[in-house]
Amino acid sequence: VGPDGTVLHAAARTAGAMVPDVAGLVAESANALAERGVQAYSVDTGEHTALLFPLSAFPQGVGGPAAPVLAVVTPRPVAAGLATLLADVVLPLSLCLQAETLERKRRRVDLAESRGREAVLHLLMTGQLSIAQQVAGALRPRLPDPVRVCVVECSGDDRDEVARVCVDADGGRSWIVRCPVYARHLILVMPAEDMEDAGEKAPEPGAAPTDETVAARVGDCVVGVSEPVPLADTATGYRQAFHALAVARELPTRHARFGVSPDPALVVGPAGRRWADELLNPLLTHVPRRAQDPGSQELLATATSWLAFSSHATDHLKVHRNTLAARLRLIGELLGLDLHRLADQAALDLALRVRATPAPACTPEVPSSAPPFPYASGTSQAAGGLDAILCRPAVRDWADQQLAPVLGDQQLSSVLGAEETLRTWLRCEGRLGPAAAELGISVPGARKRLTRLETVLQRSLLRPPSARYDLWLALRSRDLAAARQ
């Protein structure tokens, strides 16, 4: 019985036995026990006896009157030795109760820490670096800079055990977060270089990197790792690690690092930055009509999360799907975009990535005498200036590098119909069913082709974050260049 008289656990009497008013009898006895402050108490009625023993592992008076009570109501006369037996079980029952209480508190602490780490990751992914560092200051370890982002895909419910392996592998130097979107994923924000920092122990010389150690020690996990990136570019590092994860699934080592490939935001030049600023300006300057409506920063975070995780953004943002849909409608109206179309999604994704990229990192402008090219079919007027950006020489070089594994391998193209499959899938807005129907093959057959393309392109296609935006931009750039020739 709890301190308020609530029955916590009860054992039923045998069938047919006379059952007294147990609740009333126990409540009366508990009040008397609390008033007298004794170690045990018994009360007799005409037919029954109530025996009460406080369940507290502390000396009398330390546990206080709030300690739960073991209460036994038994017919008279009381069986010989029953009181002694109950007194003997008080201590082990008290210890079991305290262990359960401590376990519940430990779980609450673990949940609070997990949510705190998840919040820090969310702030990093949305570019709010200073706030993320302030929140992370209360936890360990401190956020490294620069970093490699590592995504570990676990099997079953082994995520907690794999997290312990990760801590052991690098001495607790990595920032480990349970992915809020994919229940089998762990996200590690690791120091890019194995250096010894204040209060943090560096790995032994010659030791294998943390990601390789985890892949070797956990027999059924898959690991993808990004290039070294500044802490402010954690979102880019996560995309790279997720693409590497798609490649690692097909490798016997179950481990892959992201190949060298520039981000399109780095090659758009000053004109690309002006285009991105113009496109996003209605969103950046949006002032909600009501205090409870989302502001510009919240809408920016929503757009970034949805473009990265699609419908899984509800898990990432911790919002209802109707809330997500309403925000996306507002974003589309503000920007003049049709967010059901892949072309406009790609334009918005590129604009957000350009905005998140420091201006000096962008490739300088190269004057071009080529006339402006009309905006892409299926792209809204608001994103129409994108075609002029995609005609830049640096962007064309980037596009050729992105598509070389597919368009440059004739043997692969003849076997899998790689270019046809890729173009059809993108033309069908990245939807597998319509793409399979247009290709005249089964859905499993289309999925198999795209899985093969993931390995060849070293990018994730079927699961978000997907490379479909980059591939759409790359194909559009090549098509524009071919049209000019």
Side-chain angles (χ1 to χ4, degrees):
V1 183
D4 58 354
T6 304
V7 177
L8 303 179
H9 302 282
R13 287 299 308 268
T14 56
M18 294 293 294
V19 179
D21 180 11
V22 175
L25 183 57
V26 168
E28 177 186 351
S29 304
N31 289 333
L33 178 69
E35 290 174 359
R36 302 185 183 189
V38 294
Q39 290 282 14
Y41 185 77
S42 67
V43 59
D44 291 330
T45 66
E47 298 180 353
H48 296 83
T49 296
L51 303 173
L52 280 76
F53 298 85
L55 289 182
S56 174
F58 301 101
Q60 183 175 2
V62 178
V69 174
L70 170 63
V72 177
V73 179
T74 179
R76 297 185 65 188
V78 178
L82 178 59
T84 302
L85 175 63
L86 294 175
D88 289 343
V89 302
V90 165
L91 180 58
L93 282 177
S94 299
L95 294 176
C96 289
L97 183 63
Q98 288 190 9
E100 292 177 0
T101 303
L102 290 174
E103 178 63 17
R104 286 194 295 270
K105 290 181 178 180
R106 185 193 65 80
R107 290 177 180 175
R108 287 197 294 267
V109 170
D110 287 349
L111 179 61
E113 181 176 356
S114 177
R115 293 290 175 83
R117 290 178 178 275
E118 183 181 319
V120 170
L121 179 66
H122 180 75
L123 291 168
L124 290 174
M125 296 280 279
T126 54
Q128 302 178 69
L129 182 60
S130 61
I131 302 177
Q133 290 174 324
Q134 291 176 24
V135 177
L139 302 172
R140 297 288 294 174
R142 70 178 182 83
L143 290 170
D145 192 6
V147 299
R148 285 185 185 269
V149 181
C150 173
V151 178
V152 182
E153 186 173 76
C154 316
S155 63
D157 299 326
D158 295 339
R159 193 158 61 165
D160 290 342
E161 179 60 31
V162 175
R164 285 190 285 270
V165 172
C166 294
V167 172
D168 181 63
D170 76 343
R173 300 170 65 245
S174 297
W175 187 268
I176 302 175
V177 184
R178 294 170 179 83
C179 180
V181 175
Y182 294 110
R184 295 170 55 196
H185 287 189
L186 280 174
I187 302 172
L188 280 67
V189 181
M190 310 184 301
E193 303 294 339
D194 293 334
M195 301 182 300
E196 187 169 353
D197 295 314
E200 296 172 7
K201 183 179 179 182
E204 295 294 332
T210 301
D211 46 285
E212 294 182 11
T213 302
V214 173
R217 290 177 57 178
V218 183
D220 52 359
C221 76
V222 183
V223 182
V225 190
S226 74
E227 297 176 313
V229 296
L231 182 62
D233 290 342
T234 300
T236 299
Y238 174 75
R239 284 194 297 268
Q240 292 180 356
F242 197 88
H243 293 320
L245 187 69
V247 177
R249 293 192 188 101
E250 306 300 320
L251 298 178
T253 59
R254 297 169 287 100
H255 173 275
R257 291 199 171 192
F258 187 77
V260 178
S261 178
D263 191 288
L266 299 176
V267 295
V268 296
R273 297 193 67 83
R274 291 192 296 272
W275 165 81
D277 290 341
E278 182 180 352
L279 177 63
L280 296 176
N281 184 63
L283 187 59
L284 297 173
T285 58
H286 171 66
V287 178
R289 289 179 295 180
R290 302 178 302 174
Q292 62 268 34
D293 291 340
S296 60
Q297 290 301 317
E298 198 167 5
L299 292 176
L300 281 169
T302 298
T304 302
S305 179
W306 178 71
L307 289 169
F309 298 113
S310 187
S311 60
H312 295 294
T314 54
D315 299 318
H316 184 224
L317 297 171
K318 301 296 187 292
V319 298
H320 192 272
R321 62 176 182 272
N322 292 342
T323 301
L324 176 64
R327 291 183 186 179
L328 292 176
R329 282 195 298 271
L330 177 58
I331 292 170
E333 292 170 1
L334 290 172
L335 300 180
L337 299 177
D338 181 357
L339 295 182
H340 293 97
R341 303 190 65 87
L342 181 57
D344 282 11
Q345 294 170 17
L348 178 57
D349 180 71
L350 178 60
L352 290 170
R353 289 158 72 176
V354 169
R355 179 177 179 271
T357 303
C362 291
T363 304
E365 187 69 79
V366 177
S368 174
S369 59
F373 205 91
Y375 63 87
S377 172
T379 306
S380 68
Q381 183 69 49
L386 175 60
D387 278 346
I389 307 304
L390 297 180
C391 289
R392 297 188 73 243
V395 178
R396 290 200 302 269
D397 293 341
W398 168 83
D400 290 341
Q401 183 177 352
Q402 296 293 307
L403 299 171
V406 173
L407 304 186
D409 190 334
Q410 297 303 319
Q411 182 179 3
L412 174 67
S413 299
S414 63
V415 173
L416 292 178
E419 182 176 359
E420 179 190 10
T421 299
L422 184 59
R423 287 186 177 275
T424 302
W425 179 64
L426 294 175
R427 188 165 57 249
C428 293
E429 312 295 343
R431 293 178 295 172
L432 197 58
E438 189 168 330
L439 290 168
I441 60 178
S442 65
V443 171
R447 182 180 290 108
K448 185 176 180 180
R449 286 192 183 186
L450 289 171
T451 300
R452 173 60 177 153
L453 282 174
E454 286 184 332
T455 304
V456 173
L457 291 167
Q458 298 188 7
R459 301 291 185 274
S460 173
L461 302 180
L462 295 173
R463 300 177 67 184
S466 170
R468 58 184 180 174
Y469 305 135
D470 283 2
L471 294 173
W472 186 92
L473 293 169
L475 283 172
R476 180 62 185 170
S477 179
R478 284 179 62 97
D479 292 344
L480 290 173
R484 291 185 182 278
Q485 294 176 355

